[in-house]
Amino acid sequence: MLRFLITVIRRDLLLAARRKGDWLTSQFFFVMVVSMFPLGIGPEPEMLRRIAPGVVWVAALLASLLSLSRLFADDHRDGSLEQMLLSPEPPVLLALGKALAHWLIYGVPLLVIAPVLGLQFGLQADVIGVLMLSLLIGTPVLSLLGSVGAALTLGLRGGGVLLTLLILPLYVPALIFGAGAVDATLAGLGPEANLSLLAAFAMLTLMVAPWVTAAALRISIE
Amino acid sequence: MSFSIYKYASPMTFYGLAGKMIPWFSWGAAILAGLGLYIAFFMAPTDFQQGEAYRVIFIHVPAAWMSMFIYMVMAFWSAVGLAWNTRLSFMMSRALAPTGALFAFLSLWTGAMWGKPMWGAWWVWDARLTSSLVLFFLYVGIIALWSAIDDRRRGDKAGALLILVGAINVPIIYFSVKWWNTLHQGASVSLMQAPSMAAIMLMGMLVMAIAAWFYSIAVAMVRVRGIILERERQTEWVKELLEKN
Amino acid sequence: MSEISHLAVRELACARGERTLFSGMNFQLRLGQLLLVQGGNGRGKTSLLRLLCGLAQPLEGEVHWRGQEIGGVREEYHREMAYIGHVNGIKDDLTPLENLRLSAALAGRHLDERTAEQSLIRLGLERCLDLPARVLSFGQRRRVTLAGLMTAGAVLWILDEPLTGLDVHGVALMEGLLRDHVTGGGMVVMTTHQPLSLEGVATVPLQVGPVLQPQED
């Protein structure tokens, strides 16, 4: 069972490595969205510091949604999704593997880029640390919840926009706790409360989302 | 073809039952709403702090309750539908969703109407209003998903899954929004904290809430009858019914 | 009828949208038999095949594998069954060799490079082993899929129009594969619109359509 999970993850990593263009698009989208805010709002350092956590987090939500619409769509189009569902291994592991691979490919790079963006917004080193930590705990939630939406909207016309409509409201707790942790640090309060709530939400998502995704895949492929 | 009788019996009998229920609940809703509005505008005293504007709570609070309650009912029917594959359950949740979205919107709108005189702004990021907004988004997402899926069976099940995921998430969203609100020290006056909540005000709100219930049931029944007719139009009983009229 | 048939279908009904494609379908298939599903376009051949492999749920009725409902023996059934649909299920960015080995790994099997290579060569793909599948022609990709079928080691093959895109040699190859598989004790359920010579293969025809065929009972 574990071997199947690892195979699914390795497969998606291999495919992503063969198509670096898609991968880079998503990362640059993240950087560009964040960079638009100072241009729209103005360069006052105090203001930028205030909005930085929210801006980075909202951009992370959007960037993950951008790549999620293709999470199952490519495999569906070429028929390999059907073949994977016909594997003797349980579909819930397939769902989990796909979501984890999405996190490794699209979520983890955000952690690496975030400090640079933090510097752009004049954040202190300790605040940047909390930002990275909040993204580390929070981005798996985005991949897991998003995989539910990707499975539900599989093969529908306007799937990408629809996915956004379905999933963004569900992202609200992750956004609030994630950006809240950084906010609290900025305000001189500790980030612990927000981070533990975020971690609890992540655990719950990890336990529930793969089952729902697997069920949604079965429904969508019929 | 013995199975078809078993299968179609429940929507068929329910069609008749729903038809009988509609006039009762429609009249009930009209009378109760009339009574509730009378209490709201003529019997309830003017609030010494909030003036006449507070009277919008007689619509706002029942609408907010109803939007949440309908979501719970939809989650219940979705769970039943997914567990036992009962077709009527999916029809029920489809019939309820537009009413739920309407009430969520109504609670936002009345909240804004109340906010203008009280806070001096049409919109304030108060925890309750924000939660209502997210709930409204959830309704919109569900309805959008249904309308994007052409295949009925797939639409039923996919919608039900989304509703259930939302149902798990809604309490967390409510909690997180409240948490966010205290963290950012949002508006301190809430619509629900109408001071000196007199017994007559509570009474008016309850009457209005029951009126909203009756209205929702009546409208959902009308809609479910439409859905049944559409889905069963190839069966004998619907053909007979249509010939009679 | 005392002998247990491996694949059995009872009172199967299938609907697409509001239209009932077929209902009350019954058939049984034993080892060493090939079921040739026939019927015009839109009669539900593909739907039937998807029901048989468990990708879709029937409106009514059941599919049994070795006497048990396939939902209950999913793991075992999927281990013994291989399905080829309209799309090939191979990734454009991977080479045929990688595709084969990856599909095998996902199905829980180990496929060493030599065996994979041999099956690809048998299907006439010796010059394409290291090219990404993107540059292969449609027929060549179909051959990659068939090589996967060969190496899957499944008892039951469910093939939806396997001959699409194949040239004359490809069709002849496929005929050989089918004959070897069925005479070797395997089972096949397939559809095709192309003429196929299946001499010496125990073939059971099945007509799919809204009208119940008397030959089935």
Side-chain angles (χ1 to χ4, degrees):
Chain A
M1 290 223 320
L2 190 65
R3 205 161 70 203
F4 177 67
L5 187 69
I6 292 168
T7 311
V8 172
I9 295 173
R10 267 193 27 217
R11 167 186 184 274
D12 276 21
L13 291 179
L14 178 66
L15 288 170
R18 295 278 161 95
R19 266 187 191 260
K20 293 196 189 65
D22 288 359
W23 178 76
L24 280 171
T25 310
S26 181
Q27 314 308 328
F28 275 113
F29 176 83
F30 177 60
V31 173
M32 281 186 199
V33 168
V34 172
S35 310
M36 287 297 128
F37 279 86
L39 298 179
I41 290 169
E44 298 94 53
E46 194 47 43
M47 166 75 98
L48 289 183
R49 212 168 293 135
R50 282 283 317 279
I51 63 164
V55 166
V56 171
W57 259 92
V58 169
L61 303 190
L62 297 179
S64 83
L65 281 172
L66 191 72
S67 48
L68 275 165
S69 58
R70 284 201 324 275
L71 180 62
F72 297 112
D74 291 345
D75 292 341
H76 181 50
R77 202 173 309 117
D78 63 27
S80 49
L81 182 62
E82 278 174 3
Q83 292 298 335
M84 289 193 281
L85 284 171
L86 290 176
S87 160
E89 305 290 342
V92 61
L93 285 182
L94 170 68
L96 180 63
K98 291 287 288 183
L100 289 181
H102 179 268
W103 177 65
L104 288 172
I105 299 163
Y106 295 103
V108 172
L110 300 187
L111 300 180
V112 183
I113 304 170
V116 184
L117 299 173
L119 290 176
Q120 266 191 332
F121 280 73
L123 295 182
Q124 302 298 317
D126 59 329
V127 181
I128 289 178
V130 174
L131 177 66
M132 285 179 73
L133 195 59
S134 76
L135 284 171
L136 176 70
I137 306 172
T139 40
V141 176
L142 306 185
S143 296
L144 285 161
L145 271 180
S147 71
V148 173
L152 285 173
T153 58
L154 187 60
L156 300 181
R157 56 195 138 78
V161 183
L162 189 62
L163 172 74
T164 313
L165 223 57
L166 304 190
I167 295 305
L168 271 183
L170 301 179
Y171 277 173
V172 166
L175 172 65
I176 287 177
F177 299 139
V182 190
D183 257 349
T185 318
L186 277 171
L189 311 161
E192 290 82 10
N194 275 294
L195 286 180
S196 29
L197 286 169
L198 183 62
F201 186 54
M203 288 310 291
L204 180 72
T205 317
L206 182 67
M207 283 190 289
V208 177
W211 297 95
V212 184
T213 306
L217 280 177
R218 297 204 56 137
I219 292 167
S220 296
I221 208 140
E222 212 171 278
Chain B
M1 290 293 190
S2 59
F3 64 86
S4 64
I5 293 169
Y6 158 72
K7 261 188 59 161
Y8 294 145
S10 107
M12 186 175 80
T13 44
F14 191 78
Y15 182 83
L17 181 68
K20 289 198 192 80
M21 281 159 76
I22 290 169
W24 288 98
F25 281 100
S26 314
W27 281 109
I31 292 166
L32 284 168
L35 180 66
L37 288 175
Y38 182 77
I39 295 174
F41 285 105
F42 298 106
M43 289 171 75
T46 306
D47 190 89
F48 73 95
Q49 213 185 355
Q50 307 187 16
E52 301 293 343
Y54 90 94
R55 288 183 200 275
V56 79
I57 65 163
F58 289 104
I59 295 174
H60 174 82
V61 174
W65 282 347
M66 210 59 216
S67 64
M68 265 184 282
F69 184 71
I70 287 180
Y71 197 92
M72 275 156 50
V73 175
M74 281 166 62
F76 168 76
W77 284 121
S78 301
V80 170
L82 285 177
W84 288 288
N85 206 9
T86 43
R87 305 188 309 148
L88 196 58
S89 328
F90 295 122
M91 297 185 199
M92 283 305 288
S93 65
R94 280 205 197 221
L96 281 165
T99 310
L102 174 75
F103 276 118
F105 180 73
L106 209 60
S107 84
L108 290 176
W109 193 27
T110 49
M113 276 170 56
W114 182 81
K116 185 63 182 164
M118 290 320 297
W119 294 319
W122 291 110
W123 184 264
V124 171
W125 290 93
D126 152 75
R128 227 167 266 275
L129 280 180
T130 312
S131 311
S132 292
L133 184 66
V134 178
L135 187 63
F136 179 65
F137 287 161
L138 284 175
Y139 274 118
V140 170
I142 292 160
I143 295 172
L145 181 64
W146 275 329
S147 61
I149 301 179
D150 295 325
D151 183 75
R152 182 203 303 155
R153 270 213 293 179
R154 179 180 168 189
D156 281 348
K157 289 184 182 167
L161 270 183
L162 182 64
I163 292 169
L164 284 178
V165 173
I168 301 173
N169 223 314
V170 160
I172 305 172
I173 293 174
Y174 270 63
F175 170 75
S176 67
V177 170
K178 230 175 146 181
W179 169 268
W180 163 81
N181 199 240
T182 50
L183 197 76
H184 291 269
Q185 317 231 309
S188 54
V189 199
S190 167
L191 204 41
M192 273 300 282
Q193 295 166 339
S196 65
M197 175 83 83
I200 188 75
M201 289 161 66
L202 200 65
M203 175 82 169
M205 252 164 25
L206 279 178
V207 172
M208 287 300 284
I210 299 171
W213 266 66
F214 276 36
Y215 166 79
S216 306
I217 294 173
V219 173
M221 289 303 148
V222 172
R223 230 177 259 126
V224 90
R225 267 165 68 101
I227 297 173
I228 290 175
L229 277 191
E230 194 200 326
R231 294 191 171 191
E232 312 266 299
R233 65 169 174 267
Q234 287 171 327
T235 60
E236 287 305 312
W237 73 270
V238 173
K239 282 179 189 157
E240 270 171 38
L241 191 82
L242 293 177
E243 270 166 30
K244 258 191 280 177
N245 297 344
Chain C
M1 276 297 152
S2 57
E3 186 190 344
I4 295 176
S5 57
H6 275 68
L7 183 71
V9 157
R10 290 198 195 127
E11 290 300 323
L12 203 64
C14 172
R16 161 143 300 170
E18 308 203 344
R19 223 156 44 89
T20 304
L21 291 172
F22 52 80
S23 61
M25 177 184 284
N26 288 287
F27 68 78
Q28 298 182 335
L29 199 67
R30 285 188 222 100
L31 292 178
Q33 284 186 321
L34 181 146
L35 184 78
L36 194 61
V37 182
Q38 294 163 329
N41 291 338
R43 289 303 184 86
K45 296 190 298 298
T46 295
S47 300
L48 171 64
L49 262 47
R50 294 176 70 85
L51 288 182
L52 289 182
C53 63
L55 280 174
Q57 301 302 313
L59 193 65
E60 299 285 336
E62 287 170 349
V63 180
H64 289 248
W65 177 247
R66 295 188 198 275
Q68 278 170 301
E69 226 263 290
I70 53 169
V73 287
R74 182 185 174 279
E75 189 182 332
E76 184 192 331
Y77 181 54
H78 284 180
R79 218 177 278 288
E80 296 183 288
M81 185 268 297
Y83 168 73
I84 294 185
H86 285 190
V87 275
N88 290 318
I90 59 175
K91 299 305 290 185
D92 280 349
D93 293 319
L94 305 180
T95 68
L97 208 55
E98 285 170 325
N99 263 303
L100 281 199
R101 299 194 66 197
L102 196 59
S103 315
L106 286 170
R109 285 177 285 111
H110 177 74
L111 181 64
D112 61 75
E113 201 167 328
R114 264 188 63 80
T115 321
E117 232 177 74
Q118 277 166 356
S119 67
L120 286 168
I121 290 169
R122 184 170 165 201
L123 280 152
L125 293 165
E126 60 276 354
R127 279 182 301 164
C128 319
L129 292 178
D130 292 322
L131 297 174
R134 196 180 326 117
V135 304
L136 301 188
S137 75
F138 186 81
Q140 283 174 319
R141 282 190 239 182
R142 204 66 181 164
R143 286 172 186 235
V144 177
T145 313
L146 295 177
L149 180 68
M150 264 175 64
T151 54
V155 178
L156 171 63
W157 290 359
I158 298 181
L159 313 175
D160 197 353
E161 298 287 345
L163 304 178
T164 315
L166 291 182
D167 55 16
V168 185
H169 302 290
V171 172
L173 253 169
M174 189 65 215
E175 283 167 356
L177 280 183
L178 287 172
R179 192 168 291 124
D180 290 353
H181 184 63
V182 175
T183 51
M187 304 161 79
V188 178
V189 177
M190 67 179 287
T191 65
T192 180
H193 282 300
Q194 275 164 271
L196 191 66
S197 78
L198 291 167
E199 290 144 35
V201 178
T203 308
V204 186
L206 174 75
Q207 198 73 32
V208 177
V211 190
L212 239 172
Q213 294 299 307
Q215 72 191 65
E216 291 319 314
D217 256 1

